DNA sequence: CTTGAAAAGAACTGCCT
DNA sequence: AGGCAGTTCTTTTCAAG
């Protein structure tokens, strides 16, 4: 954990909303000079608080109209099973995220597909054939909203 | 949907891996000139295929060691209920994403908290008091991997 | 579609309070 | 720590092949 002051927090809040802001624009927003904004930004990046920058793509414009969350329960869960499952699931291109979780399910997967028939294909030929798969629960994404989170 | 050629796809793949690449570095990777990489990038941005750029923060370094996925079933789900729920849930700072889904649950929420006691506080005082909440299922995040997705 | 180059702007550095 | 002024680099636009 890193100690942040109010200026750091304001900087992160601004950048989480729009990562394309220049340090000069940031400085204007925060009421400080451009080099100060730059130094803060660099410090946060070097210390790893800022872990990276990601492109946000428009699924639909790319022809992937369907996103589905799958909860997966494994039938057998030794150490080897987990590793086998993770390796196999990582090889499926339609899988966007693999989350290892604790609770009713063992893994949560975010899958994207062109349409529902395409999703059925992925589910039957890719997911259901994964090593050790037990129960699977699906939730089709209707809409999603991302929030800044606590800071 | 937008029609993309192989160069566009290669460009997106490269940028999804590292959104900090300069257009010159991109051009080198793709084997084209810098102005071409720049034009392609601009076209993809203007057309909305590239929807934005986001900062990736390190939860733990910010002091939020716990992330939990909640599946929420509403007890009553008229149009008004959905809107009430969404408005109320958006006001909780610990909520990072709100996903309206179809399936066993109505909403999936990603919650972050400082630790498990802090999460319990959020769950009891914020989540369980939301308007119309029925069943709630929780999955604690152990680890997550993001994959490039299909392209 | 390319290369090359100039103009604008952003990022980075050193020095000062 | 913060600010000013300057340098360097990238992005962006344009001319010409």
């Amino acid at each position: 954990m890193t100690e942040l002051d109010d200026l750091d927090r304001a900087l992160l809040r601004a950048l989480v909303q729009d990562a394309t802001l220049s340090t000069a624009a940031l400085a204007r927003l925060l009421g400080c000079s451009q080099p100060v904004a730059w130094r803060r930004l660099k410090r946060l990046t070097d210390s790893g608080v800022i872990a990276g920058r990601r492109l946000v793509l428009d699924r639909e414009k790319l022809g992937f109209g369907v996103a589905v969350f799958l909860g997966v329960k494994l039938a057998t869960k030794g150490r080897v099973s987990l590793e086998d499952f993770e390796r196999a699931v990582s090889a499926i291109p339609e899988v966007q995220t693999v989350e290892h979780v604790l609770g009713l399910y063992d893994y949560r997967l975010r899958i994207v597909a062109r349409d529902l028939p395409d999703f059925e294909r992925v589910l039957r030929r890719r997911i259901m054939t994964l090593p050790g798969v037990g129960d699977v629960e699906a939730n089709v994404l209707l809409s999603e909203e991302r929030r800044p989170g606590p800071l």
Side-chain angles (χ1 to χ4, degrees), chain A:
Chain A
M1 165 148 184
T2 322
E3 344 62 22
L4 308 175
D5 60 16
D6 293 339
L7 196 57
D8 287 326
R9 265 182 274 273
L11 190 153
L12 290 175
R13 244 181 272 117
L15 276 178
V16 164
Q17 300 230 342
D18 181 4
T20 67
L21 283 171
S22 71
T23 55
L26 261 177
R28 244 170 285 126
L29 275 167
L30 305 184
C32 69
S33 70
Q34 181 266 337
V36 166
W38 184 83
R39 275 199 196 98
R40 298 273 183 156
L41 183 57
K42 174 158 173 54
R43 197 177 140 275
L44 291 167
T45 305
D46 290 347
S47 68
V49 170
I50 294 174
R53 289 155 188 268
R54 274 232 185 72
L55 225 49
V56 183
L57 300 183
D58 186 315
R59 263 200 350 271
E60 310 216 341
K61 292 217 165 113
L62 287 167
F64 293 91
V66 172
V68 181
F69 297 100
L70 292 182
V72 177
K73 207 184 296 195
L74 295 189
T76 58
K77 22 191 129 159
R79 181 174 57 81
V80 178
S81 307
L82 297 185
E83 283 167 10
D84 279 356
F85 179 84
E86 291 182 9
R87 200 172 322 107
V89 92
S90 288
I92 305 173
E94 288 86 357
V95 173
Q96 270 197 332
T97 50
V98 183
E99 291 158 348
H100 188 194
V101 295
L102 212 55
L104 199 48
Y105 295 97
D106 296 308
Y107 286 95
R108 296 186 21 103
L109 309 178
R110 181 186 171 119
I111 314 277
V112 297
R114 303 204 161 269
D115 46 36
L116 282 178
D118 187 39
F119 173 70
E120 191 189 2
R121 177 188 61 81
V122 175
L123 186 63
R124 296 175 79 131
R125 308 185 47 162
R126 299 288 186 184
I127 306 296
M128 300 313 258
T129 60
L130 284 170
V133 166
D135 282 355
V136 174
E137 183 227 341
N139 288 99
V140 178
L141 180 64
L142 294 177
S143 69
E144 80 188 314
E145 195 203 344
R146 224 164 268 260
R147 312 220 48 258
L151 265 187

